[in-house]
Amino acid sequence: GPLKRGTLRSDRKHSTEALEFYSRSLRLRPDPYLQSYMNILQEKATEEKDSRDKAAALRKEGDNLMDVKRTEEALAKYRESLQIWHNDELEKFVGGEEKRIAEATALKLRKEAEALIKSKKAADALAKYRESLKYAYDEEADAYVKKADAAEIKKRAEELTLEGDALMKQKKPQEALERYRLALTKTPKDPALIEKVRKLELILKPAVAEAPVSGDDIPGEVSQESPPDEPYVDDEEATASYDPHDLKQ
């Protein structure tokens, strides 16, 4: 009946329509509680009308801006209008226009990138291609950016490897290993680099000698005998044993 239809429209935030059905219900059967609820709905209906009026005014501003080809400003007005009062038709129109503008912007940037490539300005072209992908996907632009990024990563790995080689010549194996490991994070599948890290880690791995256990040793008791003196090894002589040429095999 009218009461049920009024409740449905109230739940859907159509207060004006709900009021119409509640009014019909009250004419058929007076109800003080329903009357109180209608008073609340009347306030909501007034608020809804204000929202619709504000949204309509913003939409009108957008229409005027579209008439004078100020499309982006018009779309901003339409978006503001939609935040106040939703409209499916307007939402669809705005989405379509925003997509069209984004694709046009991306195309313009790609053409600028192509011109920069012809002028041998690869870095500037890369920046243009990268920016274009923020607006719209393009297979060629994406491939160009990925190829350039891969080349930059490889170049950095090579620089770090050369730094490691230089440190080895300066007899600084630990610092060299750090450079090699960092380079390996850039190109983790480089077999030559993997081998350099493996060999240097073996060289720097501390030797752990197992002490012999005699039958006189009793668990829980500490031997009073002093351990034998270890042979003295000169630091310079030990460091000199690191040969960077061993890592280039």
Side-chain angles (χ1 to χ4, degrees):
L3 180 59
K4 183 177 180 180
R5 289 194 291 272
T7 303
L8 286 172
R9 279 154 180 79
S10 176
D11 291 342
R12 294 172 185 170
K13 298 182 179 180
H14 294 295
S15 301
T16 303
E17 294 178 34
L19 281 169
E20 293 176 3
F21 285 104
Y22 285 148
S23 296
R24 294 180 194 175
S25 177
L26 283 173
R27 284 196 293 270
L28 295 173
R29 186 177 63 184
D31 184 336
Y33 295 104
L34 180 57
Q35 183 63 58
S36 297
Y37 184 57
M38 281 186 64
N39 294 337
I40 296 172
L41 281 181
Q42 185 63 58
E43 293 180 8
K44 289 181 65 178
T46 302
E47 293 175 0
E48 287 176 4
K49 183 179 182 303
D50 290 342
S51 295
R52 283 197 302 269
D53 290 345
K54 288 178 182 177
L58 287 165
R59 184 168 180 173
K60 181 63 177 176
E61 289 182 43
D63 292 342
N64 293 336
L65 289 165
M66 286 294 287
D67 289 340
V68 293
K69 310 297 182 184
R70 293 163 64 180
T71 306
E72 293 188 7
E73 294 176 62
L75 292 176
K77 289 294 181 182
Y78 290 148
R79 277 293 175 200
E80 192 177 348
S81 170
L82 287 167
Q83 288 176 357
I84 296 172
W85 195 265
H86 185 75
N87 180 286
D88 289 336
E89 182 183 357
L90 183 59
E91 180 74 44
K92 184 178 179 180
F93 172 79
V94 171
E97 283 296 299
E98 288 176 339
K99 182 180 179 181
R100 181 186 63 78
I101 291 172
E103 289 176 347
T105 302
L107 178 60
K108 179 176 178 291
L109 288 165
R110 289 198 300 270
K111 287 183 176 180
E112 291 175 5
E114 290 168 6
L116 288 164
I117 290 173
K118 291 178 181 178
S119 301
K120 302 188 183 301
K121 296 180 179 179
D124 293 337
L126 176 61
K128 290 290 182 182
Y129 274 133
R130 201 185 297 279
E131 187 180 357
S132 77
L133 290 170
K134 295 177 183 178
Y135 292 95
Y137 177 80
D138 179 81
E139 188 174 353
E140 290 185 9
D142 186 57
Y144 186 94
V145 170
K146 286 180 178 177
K147 183 178 179 181
D149 287 346
E152 183 62 29
I153 290 171
K154 183 179 179 182
K155 179 183 175 183
R156 181 57 183 149
E158 289 171 351
E159 291 173 350
L160 288 165
T161 302
L162 290 174
E163 289 176 16
D165 293 344
L167 287 165
M168 284 298 297
K169 291 178 181 178
Q170 298 170 30
K171 299 182 181 180
K172 297 179 179 179
Q174 188 61 55
E175 293 179 40
L177 180 58
E178 291 174 4
R179 293 295 194 283
Y180 293 146
R181 282 173 173 167
L182 187 55
L184 201 56
T185 65
K186 307 292 182 183
T187 53
K189 296 182 180 181
D190 184 335
L193 192 54
I194 291 171
E195 186 64 13
K196 281 194 175 193
V197 170
R198 187 189 69 80
K199 285 186 175 181
L200 192 50
E201 284 178 340
L202 286 173
I203 292 172
L204 294 175
K205 185 177 181 181
V208 180
E210 292 185 3
V213 180
S214 66
D216 296 331
D217 290 334
I218 301 173
E221 293 189 8
V222 179
S223 174
Q224 299 299 316
E225 296 181 2
S226 300
D229 292 336
E230 294 184 359
Y232 171 78
V233 179
D234 183 80
D235 287 343
E236 291 186 3
E237 182 180 349
T239 306
S241 64
Y242 301 120
D243 187 351
H245 297 293
D246 291 341
L247 302 177
K248 296 180 180 179
Q249 297 177 0

